[in-house]
Amino acid sequence: MSEEKLGLNTICTHVGEIEDKQFKGSVSPIYLSSSYEFMDVDVKRYPRYFNTPNQEHLAKKVAALEHAEAAMIFGSGMAAVSTTLLAFLKAGDHVVVQKDIYGGTRNLIEAHFDNFKIDYTFTNGLEVDEFASCLKENTKMIYIETPSNPLLKLVDLNAISELAKANDAMTVIDNTFATPILQNPIDFGIDVVIHSATKYLGGHSDICAGAVASTQKNMDTIWDMAKNLGGSLSDFTVWMLERSMKTLVLRVKAQQKNARKLAKYLNKHEAIAKVYYPGLKDHPDHKLAKKQMRGYGAMMSFDLADGLDAKAFLKALKLIKPSMSLAGIESTIMLPSEASHSLLTPEERAAQGIGDNLIRWSVGIESRKDLIKDVEQAIESVSSSALQTTNS
Ligand SMILES: *Cc1c(COP(=O)(O)O)cnc(C)c1O
């Protein structure tokens, strides 16, 4: 069975499943052994070697979805990010890093790369020229994340991969927001694809995991570092992730359909100053999204109109949950100024376009009419208290 010809839903449900030869059960059994035979075997298996049966099999599903030769499952998104960066970057190397990347990745680089004598430059913007102007003689890698958090800006995958190739650098992408259902960076020449599987791959806000996909050669390099850093995932959670990924296409499609319609609804709402969603025609990267994505995703952000209190809005919501994380089947909502970007000064946030009234919505699968009703009643509640403040 050639995996490349399989449809996305078939890959999600079947690729990498472990046949239950003993009892003929219909789902993969869990192998919890932390100790395996070492004589007369092809592979010496050990959980921290990322090669237990469940880990190895689930990696095949991720590889198939990302059009990659191989993949590995990690204990968290950050285990995947840190292992990948440290596998390829050595003392004396330079990495160009996209501005507006995930806070943990930014912190890893800013807090620790000096100690490792790895040189880095954050870009000023997301255009390919801004990446080009950061290149140095010793640039080994360009690191990107698209769509970005929280303003959903896009980076041109083709342009970045060409820039890197022309300069003998490799490219790494954090593909968490797009998911492999909507974006396959390897098709555009990107070398290594990372996911926080805590987000859409997991999709139910109940597991922490990560994944990396690339060529077999690159994965061998990553494995060499990974087995020493030790960021593998427990086989229980690997099994849960396999279970979750069976419905990845269904979830992402339902979430993005909601997001698209809700973005249009918010865009017309007088209590909303601005909506950031690549699916809207007036989004600056709408055309690029059409070119490199198969859909616009289920993350969006919006600014409440001036005078409306964003914190009070969140508190007034009854169905949509204020929450740090994202990508679960339930809608969650968050204030970047209070959570993901709270460590920046208000001036730094303003420079990035992140105001105190900016709200990020990870759209879930709930019925749209109920989500709209919830937003309407919360807007009404903050509008009436804004009115009272003005009158008093
Ligand atoms: C959450 C997240 C991460 C980190 O993943 P963890 O599983 O929390 O370690 C990395 N990148 C992006 C884009 C994320 O949203």
Side-chain angles (χ1 to χ4, degrees), residues 116-329:
F116 299 136
K117 302 205 167 8
I118 301 168
D119 191 13
Y120 59 89
T121 311
F122 283 96
T123 63
N124 284 321
L126 273 55
E127 298 296 324
V128 66
D129 299 354
E130 321 226 33
F131 284 86
S133 69
C134 297
L135 289 168
K136 291 187 184 181
E137 191 82 328
N138 55 339
T139 301
K140 179 94 183 284
M141 179 192 288
I142 300 179
Y143 186 97
I144 60 175
E145 189 177 309
T146 177
S148 74
N149 180 28
L151 295 176
L152 289 310
K153 292 185 206 160
L154 269 63
V155 175
D156 189 329
L157 296 176
N158 241 335
I160 293 293
S161 97
E162 277 172 20
L163 175 72
K165 287 194 172 101
N167 289 276
D168 281 333
M170 66 183 298
T171 41
V172 177
I173 186 173
D174 183 332
N175 203 29
T176 299
F177 269 36
T179 81
I181 307 309
L182 304 179
Q183 177 169 278
N184 288 126
I186 287 174
D187 294 350
F188 295 87
I190 302 294
D191 295 309
V192 181
V193 181
I194 299 178
H195 284 280
S196 167
T198 312
K199 313 297 165 53
Y200 286 103
L201 303 192
H204 297 71
S205 307
D206 55 7
I207 65 176
C208 181
V212 181
S214 188
T215 57
Q216 186 62 56
K217 183 165 175 275
N218 282 336
M219 293 315 299
D220 288 347
T221 304
I222 291 169
W223 182 76
D224 242 19
M225 179 58 72
K227 67 181 196 287
N228 295 325
L229 291 183
S232 59
L233 185 63
S234 107
D235 285 295
F236 266 123
T237 318
V238 170
W239 188 89
M240 281 182 73
L241 182 56
E242 181 192 355
R243 182 188 203 263
S244 298
M245 285 183 67
K246 292 180 187 188
T247 56
L248 181 62
V249 181
L250 305 182
R251 286 187 279 110
V252 168
K253 283 193 174 165
Q255 285 171 270
Q256 104 160 328
K257 186 174 175 196
N258 268 353
R260 211 172 155 187
K261 300 211 163 163
L262 291 165
K264 282 187 185 158
Y265 148 77
L266 290 176
N267 211 23
K268 281 193 222 130
H269 205 296
E270 57 187 15
I272 308 298
K274 191 170 163 110
V275 180
Y276 307 85
Y277 183 67
L280 293 174
K281 288 202 177 68
D282 58 6
H283 186 284
D285 297 321
H286 180 64
K287 276 209 182 106
L288 181 56
K290 270 194 156 157
K291 190 180 133 205
Q292 65 187 27
M293 299 179 75
R294 283 187 292 269
Y296 307 106
M299 297 299 303
M300 74 163 97
S301 294
F302 56 93
D303 289 315
L304 272 189
D306 273 352
L308 299 183
D309 182 339
K311 263 193 242 174
F313 172 78
L314 258 64
K315 283 188 186 149
L317 290 167
K318 295 185 171 132
L319 185 64
I320 305 166
K321 292 190 175 101
S323 164
M324 271 293 261
S325 197
L326 58 109
I329 47 162

Side-chain angles (χ1 to χ4, degrees), residues 329-341:
I329 47 162
E330 71 285 353
S331 279
T332 58
I333 203 154
M334 187 262 251
L335 291 177
S337 62
E338 293 283 319
S340 57
H341 294 68

Side-chain angles (χ1 to χ4, degrees), residues 55-109:
Q55 293 185 60
E56 231 177 52
H57 278 74
L58 182 58
K60 291 180 196 194
K61 199 190 295 291
V62 174
L65 285 172
E66 279 297 5
H67 305 173
E69 286 172 15
M72 278 168 65
I73 308 299
F74 283 83
S76 68
M78 281 311 298
V81 168
S82 56
T83 304
T84 302
L85 290 173
L86 295 177
F88 293 104
L89 297 170
K90 304 280 174 282
D93 290 339
H94 174 252
V95 52
V96 176
V97 188
Q98 175 187 323
K99 134 193 195 171
D100 297 345
I101 52 163
Y102 179 70
T105 309
R106 187 183 185 98
N107 191 246
L108 166 70
I109 293 169

